[in-house]
Amino acid sequence: MSDTVNGTLYVVATPIGNLEDLGPRAARLLGEVALVAAEDTRHTAGLLRHLGLSVPLLSLHEHNEAARVDQLDARLVRGEDIALVSDAGTPLISDPGFVLVRELRSRGRRIVPVPGPCALVTALSAAGLPTDRFLFQGFLPAKAGARRQRLEALASREETLVFYESPHRIRDSLAAIAEAFAERRLVLARELTKTFETFLDGSAEALLARMDDDPDQARGEFVIMVAGAAPNDEAEAAHLEADALLAALLAEGVGVKQAASVAARLLGGAKKAWYARVQALKEAD
Ligand code: SAM
């Protein structure tokens, strides 16, 4: 479907604290669109006032997002441009907008990102933890059991882990992280771009102790970053040793079945699994 007569949905990132972080392109577009779809219209009205703009607002939050799709699409089809914003940062990142963007894209509408602040990228950029690979996990589950399970599932991941957290649950989350990841290094970014911006560094237990000493450290908004698991060198070395033994047996003319049986007897584990591994080694040879 051609979109030449249709309007554009601009997905506009807004500041996560410091209003100076709103770029000139975002400011211009917010003044040019026919409508701003906002998570909390009162909150966004404050931002627009600060910019000296008066633009019609429409609420779009997790409870009405699906119901808003047709309404917003009709306006795009009429040729109107719309900006989508959330309360802070980049829409769709732990914020509403996914359903709208997915539906409009499937209808062939023009969707243009207008990049800007995002708490997870801001936090990573100054934490000093590896950023070549990271795993963003949004908010941890609120219920203790589900939270523990989620953390256990992540315990062996080698990427830097990134979580969002609110002041209501920061202590519970740190306690659960202390239990799941023991002494692993954490960096806790608080109140990014705001007056009381703080980066704390240490184990989860040490950070909890810090909050006991200074309860202000538990106030505000948080990005929790956890160092990834150390690479499993021991398991890797054992794997390579076993492969060398199997290759030597094959080179001596020992059959696949017999080699698998020797490996199972010497190294433990199921004969069937060893058979598959010897077979793969033989084929790769
Ligand atoms: N869409 C936003 C973004 O791009 O980062 C995230 C929205 S999510 C509902 C809100 C969470 O983001 C907060 O609970 C906190 O974990 C994180 N966050 C937002 N602003 C922050 C700030 N100034 N400092 C630290 N964390 C922040």
Side-chain angles (χ1 to χ4, degrees):
M1 184 190 293
S2 158
D3 62 16
T4 47
V5 292
N6 292 342
T8 298
L9 177 78
Y10 293 99
V11 182
V12 182
T14 57
I16 55 171
N18 190 328
L19 293 181
E20 284 181 46
D21 291 336
L22 188 92
R25 182 173 173 227
R28 175 178 57 77
L29 285 167
L30 287 175
E32 286 175 3
V33 293
L35 177 75
V36 176
E39 187 182 5
D40 177 341
T41 51
R42 273 190 309 179
H43 183 96
T44 299
L47 175 69
L48 295 176
R49 245 192 331 273
H50 167 82
L51 296 170
L53 301 172
S54 160
V55 187
L57 284 155
L58 181 76
S59 74
L60 183 130
H61 45 71
E62 59 173 325
H63 303 296
N64 70 2
E65 183 174 353
R68 288 285 195 223
V69 172
D70 286 341
Q71 188 181 355
L72 290 170
D73 191 29
R75 297 191 66 158
L76 290 173
V77 169
R78 284 213 298 269
E80 293 180 347
D81 291 335
I82 299 171
L84 170 70
V85 301
S86 58
D87 286 353
T90 302
L92 278 79
I93 306 299
S94 292
D95 263 339
F98 163 63
V99 173
L100 178 70
V101 168
R102 181 190 62 193
E103 291 303 310
L104 292 180
R105 193 165 281 294
S106 78
R107 297 177 193 189
R109 304 294 174 249
R110 186 163 179 256
I111 301 167
V112 172
V114 183
C118 177
L120 79 104
V121 175
T122 307
L124 280 170
S125 73
L129 285 169
T131 50
D132 52 340
R133 291 187 302 147
F134 62 84
L135 195 60
F136 175 56
Q137 285 286 307
F139 290 92
L140 279 166
K143 294 209 169 115
R147 189 164 50 218
R148 194 176 329 110
Q149 258 181 359
R150 173 79 56 88
L151 289 171
E152 275 166 14
L154 293 168
S156 61
R157 299 298 299 238
E158 292 174 14
E159 305 94 331
T160 297
L161 303 173
V162 185
F163 304 95
Y164 278 167
E165 200 45 277
S166 70
H168 316 293
R169 297 216 188 98
I170 187 66
R171 283 171 185 275
D172 287 348
S173 286
L174 287 179
I177 288 171
E179 205 176 299
F181 299 154
E183 285 300 298
R184 234 187 267 176
R185 181 180 168 213
L186 258 71
V187 177
L188 188 62
R190 182 173 79 93
E191 294 290 85
L192 290 162
T193 77
K194 302 185 198 176
T195 311
F196 295 107
E197 179 180 275
T198 320
F199 280 81
L200 295 180
D201 203 312
S203 67
E205 221 161 287
L207 298 185
L208 278 168
R210 181 74 198 271
M211 287 178 182
D212 289 341
D213 289 347
D214 176 7
D216 281 347
Q217 294 301 329
R219 296 217 169 100
E221 298 187 283
F222 297 90
V223 180
I224 307 174
M225 291 159 284
V226 185
N232 197 343
D233 293 338
E234 249 174 58
E236 180 70 2
H239 196 91
L240 291 175
E241 233 171 82
D243 281 355
L245 167 75
L246 294 170
L249 288 172
L250 290 174
E252 288 298 320
V254 175
V256 172
K257 203 169 158 195
Q258 244 183 322
S261 163
V262 172
R265 195 175 300 174
L266 280 179
L267 304 167
K271 225 189 266 182
K272 206 167 151 197
W274 283 111
Y275 186 90
R277 193 146 146 205
V278 184
Q279 188 67 37
L281 273 175
K282 192 173 178 192
E283 279 163 18
D285 192 23

